[in-house]
Amino acid sequence: MDAVDRAFAAHPRQGFLPRAVRRRASYDGPLPIAAGQTSSQPRTVADMLRLLDVRTGQRVLDVGSGSGWTTALLAHLVGPTGEVRGVELEPELVRFGGDNLAATDQPWATITRAAPGVLGDPGGAPYDRILVSAEPAELPQELVEQLAEDGRMVIPVAGTMLLVTNPGAHVSEHGYYRFVPLR
């Protein structure tokens, strides 16, 4: 069992889903949460977290935190010496995800409302790791600029999962996935 498996065991998806779909928590596919958004397929989340290679004590930005599940998983991975900042555009999901995250008792992780028209959290940058759970048509330079010198970002772009690593913003491709659009 690796660190990602341990995070999944500590924070089961069921606790981050609306009551109406909790019985389907073990389904390995996306499930609706609210505001036209979804809780991502567990296998996809695990793949993304392994690519991200989160370490204890790191600062992590979770773009599109949704139900708070990925924020909680990231918080487990960084531990109490780290910091996770989830940003979410949908007010309903900021509340829902924030409540779900609070129930995990990981005060080093937060979810806040994303500023409309602003990607990520430029004011809090740089981040060691950035996880993006929504899909733009092109790699957003404004997120690349929020990466630390030796940072890593995992982001689905136009159907392809990308790993962006610094220094040099090197981009590699890691399979095909579908996500809700990044706004």
Side-chain angles (χ1 to χ4, degrees):
M1 182 178 275
D2 70 1
V4 171
D5 290 332
R6 288 190 295 277
F8 268 67
H11 305 289
R13 183 187 197 197
Q14 182 175 352
F16 297 86
L17 295 172
R19 290 196 188 284
V21 294
R22 283 186 182 164
R23 61 183 169 68
R24 298 185 59 212
S26 63
Y27 168 64
D28 193 27
L31 292 173
I33 48 176
Q37 305 303 301
T38 62
S39 171
S40 296
Q41 177 180 14
R43 187 172 21 136
T44 299
V45 173
D47 289 348
M48 292 174 78
L49 292 177
R50 286 188 176 99
L51 265 179
L52 199 57
D53 190 28
V54 177
R55 307 288 173 93
T56 301
Q58 289 185 321
R59 293 187 71 239
V60 181
L61 179 63
D62 185 19
V63 178
S65 56
S67 71
W69 186 39
T70 53
T71 311
L73 294 169
L74 289 164
H76 185 89
L77 292 168
V78 301
T81 60
E83 176 189 349
V84 179
R85 171 103 192 257
V87 291
E88 172 57 52
L89 202 53
E90 294 294 337
E92 181 180 358
L93 289 176
V94 173
R95 286 188 300 277
F96 180 65
D99 290 347
N100 292 336
L101 179 63
T104 70
D105 194 28
Q106 299 180 102
W108 55 92
T110 60
I111 296 174
T112 59
R113 181 142 193 252
V118 177
L119 283 179
D121 177 33
Y127 288 94
D128 300 305
R129 301 291 188 264
I130 300 176
L131 179 70
V132 183
S133 297
E135 182 176 327
E138 297 178 353
L139 181 62
Q141 189 60 35
E142 52 265 64
L143 287 177
V144 174
E145 291 170 2
Q146 293 174 44
L147 273 177
E149 285 276 326
D150 58 350
R152 295 170 73 93
M153 175 170 57
V154 173
I155 179 172
V157 176
T160 301
M161 192 63 67
L162 300 182
L163 171 62
V164 181
T165 56
N166 271 342
H170 176 76
V171 178
S172 56
E173 297 183 359
H174 298 271
Y176 300 98
Y177 296 85
R178 284 183 36 195
F179 279 81
V180 296
L182 180 65
R183 298 181 286 134

